[in-house]
Structure formats: C-alpha cells, structure tokens
Amino acid sequence: MLIRQASKPIDVYEYCTLLEKLTAVTGDAHNHFGYNAAMSEAFGYLTYQFTYIDHQYIVTGVSPTSQVPLGSELVKIQGEDPGSYLEKQIALLVAARTFRLKQNRMLERFVYNCQGESLQLTWKLPDGEKKITKEVYEKGTRRITQTYAKPEITGHKVETLHQSTTYDVLVLEDKIVYLHLKVMSDLGNSYFTEVLPQIKDYKYFIIDIRDNLGGSDLGAFQLLSSFYDEIRNFQSFELTSDIERMGSHLASHPQREFVYTQPETCDLTDFRESELDPIQADRLLLLTNYNTMSAAESLALLASDLDSFLLMGTPTAGSCGLRYDVSLEDLGFTFAFTSKGSLDYEGQSLYGKGIEPDLLIEQTVDDLKQGIDTVLEAAISQILP
C-alpha cells in the first residue's frame, strides 16, 4: 500500500509522513528519519511542550504566545480524548512499542505537524477552570521559553565531586554517592584516576540512568568494573569499525557490535583502568524510566542479573538493539534502524518490552510542579533510616 501511495504525486509534508510510516512499521524507537531543512519547512510547531505523566497530558513548557500556563492538563483534542486522538492520528508515525515511551513520542510528533493546520484544544487549568483554545501550527523553530525546572536533589546537603556533559558525581549526606549518567560513553581516564579514588570507601550508591538515550556500551562495563571483578555477561563484546557503501550512499555501523551468545562470565578487570580493588558497596540502586534506552538499557540488563543491585523507577524503553545509521547523501536525509535484537538472560527478546524495575515508582505531577524528584527521593529513603 505504501509503495502504491508513493507512486502518486504528493506534497513534501505527505512525503515526509510517508517516510515516517515506513520507519514506524518496525515499532522500535531506535528507528527514525532525519529531514533536511527543505523538508522540515513543510512542518510547523505548537507553542507547547507536553509530557505524559501520572496518566495525564501536562503542559511542561510554554512560549510567550502560549494560551495556557504551565501545569495545564490537555483533556480534549478536536473534542476527542487525547489518548484516542493520538492513537488514531499520530501513532502511525511513531516508531515505539512500549506504552509510556510511545505516549511521549506521540506528543513530540503531535506538536510538530503540518504547517498552518489548526485544531481545537480543551484544557483544565492549574486552578481547575476549563478553557478552550484554537491552536495553529506555526512556521519556524519552537520558542519554548519557560519550563518546569528538572526536579533536583532538594533538602539534602550535596558535595560535587565531578561534573561533565556525560556524567556527574555528587555525594549526599550519610555518604550516599549519586552518579548521574547522562549519556553512555567511555568514562575516560578521569573517572578511574580522579573520581574512583574519592568514592572507593563509600557504601551507598545511587546510579541514575533515567532519560539516558544510550551511546556506547563500554561505559556500562567500565562502571560495573568499579564494583565487580567479573559478571555474567548476556552477550559477547566485540569492537568493530566497519564502513559500507551502498551505491552513492554511506552507511556506517556503530563502533561496537555484539554477537549474542549464552550468558558467560565476563572479566571486568581490563575495563577498570586502575589498580584499585572493586568497591565493597552495601547498597547499589539503579534508577530507570521509560526513556532509558539503547546502551543505557544494556546497563540496566546487566544490573538486573546482580543481586546487589535494586532497580527503581519505571520499565526501560525496550529498544536496545544494535543501531545501524544510513546517510542518503544525494537525497538529503538520513535514517537509522535496529539491525540486531536484544535478548535477556533467558534468551527472550527485550524488543518493545524493556526491563522491569524491582520497585515501580513514577514521577508525580504535584512533585514536578514543586521541583521534587519523586523517584530519587524514594531511592534516598531506601538508604536513610
């Protein structure tokens, strides 16, 4: 059907959405198209940022021209329940299977739609009042100027040991180490020579990989080498740097490729890059959410097999297979797709399912408005008496 549809004359917006439908067939959030500037000109933006949280569609970002304030709840789209509307109108363009990730991806696509199109939205304002607005998708970049600050560590004494674009290391009261991995990458020599010697005698660790969209699995093995000499690995670890040419198009493999095997013992001492012994931790907590994916999901899977780890938060994305990137240079856009599946320790696919936490805890709307990190506070309470 898609091929027949593509054979007919269509405008740029229809062409782009057709490409999205092709990607979305797989259901894997790794998969996407990247448009060039000319293609993107067909789209416009709503002046809002939405987040699906507490089973509500909440405004978490506004611009000066937004017609409702932060914290408003979207209750109707064109007179229809938002969930039903998004499922019928937007889901066909979204490559994601797990429910909560899919909801957030649908909201992202909803605010990025056909330029000039108008629709009626019904709201519940923070004071409980009802309001109906007519919204139009505007040309140009999104102008979100006010958002809820990301919930932070509040009410705790904090000492900063390291801050960078890839990871932060903080120490809370009672010597709780909070390690926030923002992306998965080579932790670098600084972690082993500067950070690890400072935390080697600590007993309580909270490792946060929420909203970590992945990168390189190397960071997962390096981090775990801080606590273990060996682990049971669910796959063999192999370095590659293959480049392939597809006619005039260039396709590049990710740097690290995995060949799936039965779980086997993996020696972590080579990853440690330090003569320090592993840390003898009393508590290891790993925080995950629906946006924990790819290489970060690999860390969650490895940790789920270790008795000393407690996973807290929400299930991961279910999208941690090996990504394959293709640049269609003469056509002016790129696309990516998962080229290998992901299996758990029983050999079952994680695709579209993800990894369940030991303790299911979600961020609440009320805490978000107050700048409180619901999940982190729950983790701290697991350690503090």
Side-chain angles (χ1 to χ4, degrees):
M1 184 183 74
L2 289 170
I3 293 174
R4 289 198 302 272
Q5 192 174 343
S7 67
K8 302 175 182 178
I10 55 177
D11 65 22
V12 174
Y13 175 80
E14 291 174 332
Y15 175 62
C16 292
T17 54
L18 185 60
L19 293 178
E20 286 184 306
K21 286 181 181 179
L22 284 167
T23 306
V25 165
T26 65
D28 189 332
H30 260 147
N31 302 357
H32 64 86
F33 276 89
Y35 304 136
N36 59 30
M39 297 165 76
S40 297
E41 280 291 305
F43 290 84
Y45 292 91
L46 289 185
T47 60
Y48 301 98
Q49 173 181 294
F50 294 97
T51 302
Y52 185 68
I53 182 172
D54 254 2
H55 305 286
Q56 302 170 62
Y57 297 89
I58 302 295
V59 174
T60 53
V62 294
S63 81
T65 58
S66 296
Q67 299 182 58
V68 299
L70 283 174
S72 299
E73 180 186 354
L74 178 62
V75 294
K76 297 286 183 182
I77 303 173
Q78 302 286 65
E80 190 173 351
D81 172 78
S84 299
Y85 180 91
L86 294 172
E87 191 65 40
K88 288 190 293 187
Q89 304 294 329
I90 307 296
L92 299 177
L93 310 175
V94 173
R97 277 189 177 180
T98 48
F99 174 73
R100 188 60 60 91
L101 177 65
K102 184 178 180 181
Q103 290 290 325
N104 284 326
R105 292 293 172 91
M106 286 194 294
L107 284 171
E108 290 172 12
R109 185 57 177 75
F110 170 63
V111 298
Y112 178 60
N113 215 311
C114 188
Q115 186 182 140
E117 183 178 342
S118 64
L119 68 169
Q120 180 177 288
L121 303 182
T122 304
W123 310 88
K124 179 181 178 182
L125 303 183
D127 61 6
E129 291 295 314
K130 178 182 176 181
K131 183 175 182 178
I132 298 176
T133 65
K134 183 178 181 180
E135 308 284 345
V136 179
Y137 289 94
E138 300 179 356
K139 179 180 178 180
T141 58
R142 293 183 69 192
R143 298 185 301 279
I144 302 299
T145 56
Q146 184 183 2
T147 63
Y148 282 120
K150 184 177 180 180
E152 298 179 352
I153 303 173
T154 56
H156 301 281
K157 183 179 178 181
V158 177
E159 176 189 358
T160 302
L161 297 185
H162 176 87
Q163 283 188 313
S164 69
T165 56
T166 55
Y167 72 97
D168 297 338
V169 182
L170 311 176
V171 178
L172 314 185
E173 71 266 29
D174 293 307
K175 295 187 176 181
I176 301 173
V177 177
Y178 173 70
L179 199 160
H180 179 204
L181 290 179
K182 305 171 187 177
V183 297
M184 298 302 295
S185 66
D186 187 338
L187 293 178
N189 188 56
S190 63
Y191 175 75
F192 294 98
T193 61
E194 299 172 17
V195 176
L196 199 55
Q198 296 185 71
I199 62 176
K200 65 182 179 64
D201 296 324
Y202 287 53
K203 298 297 183 182
Y204 308 121
F205 291 83
I206 298 174
I207 301 167
D208 191 347
I209 54 173
R210 293 172 296 167
D211 299 317
N212 186 319
L213 303 182
S216 165
D217 289 75
L218 178 60
F221 289 88
Q222 289 176 322
L223 177 68
L224 292 175
S225 76
S226 306
F227 306 99
Y228 302 92
D229 284 330
E230 61 182 31
I231 59 172
R232 195 168 70 118
N233 188 14
F234 61 95
Q235 55 195 8
S236 62
F237 190 61
E238 179 181 338
L239 301 180
T240 66
S241 56
D242 297 333
I243 296 293
E244 293 182 2
R245 283 212 164 265
M246 300 162 57
S248 60
H249 309 312
L250 178 67
S252 60
H253 287 285
Q255 289 184 328
R256 290 169 176 85
E257 181 178 354
F258 296 91
V259 179
Y260 288 85
T261 63
Q262 291 296 316
E264 57 187 23
T265 299
C266 174
D267 184 354
L268 294 179
T269 56
D270 289 339
F271 292 96
R272 195 176 298 145
E273 298 182 14
S274 170
E275 295 182 357
L276 293 173
D277 293 328
I279 298 170
Q280 301 300 311
D282 289 343
R283 300 298 301 275
L284 287 168
L285 308 183
L286 186 71
L287 310 187
T288 65
N289 69 0
Y290 298 102
N291 291 322
T292 299
M293 60 187 298
S294 197
E297 204 162 17
S298 296
L299 173 57
L301 179 58
L302 290 165
S304 71
D305 189 54
L306 300 167
D307 291 338
S308 52
F309 265 98
L310 180 71
L311 273 62
M312 299 179 62
T314 61
T316 58
S319 182
C320 57
L322 180 68
R323 193 172 111 174
Y324 187 83
D325 298 284
V326 178
S327 176
L328 303 176
E329 296 169 335
D330 52 346
L331 299 179
F333 61 86
T334 62
F335 70 90
F337 59 90
T338 294
S339 60
K340 289 189 178 180
S342 298
L343 307 177
D344 61 20
Y345 285 93
E346 284 70 47
Q348 301 300 309
S349 175
L350 292 169
Y351 184 56
K353 182 178 68 174
I355 300 157
E356 295 285 339
D358 300 304
L359 292 179
L360 178 63
I361 301 172
E362 298 191 58
Q363 176 71 38
T364 68
V365 175
D366 288 342
D367 280 353
L368 178 68
K369 293 177 180 179
Q370 299 177 59
I372 298 173
D373 190 329
T374 309
V375 180
L376 180 56
E377 290 300 321
I380 293 172
S381 68
Q382 282 285 317
I383 296 172
L384 296 179

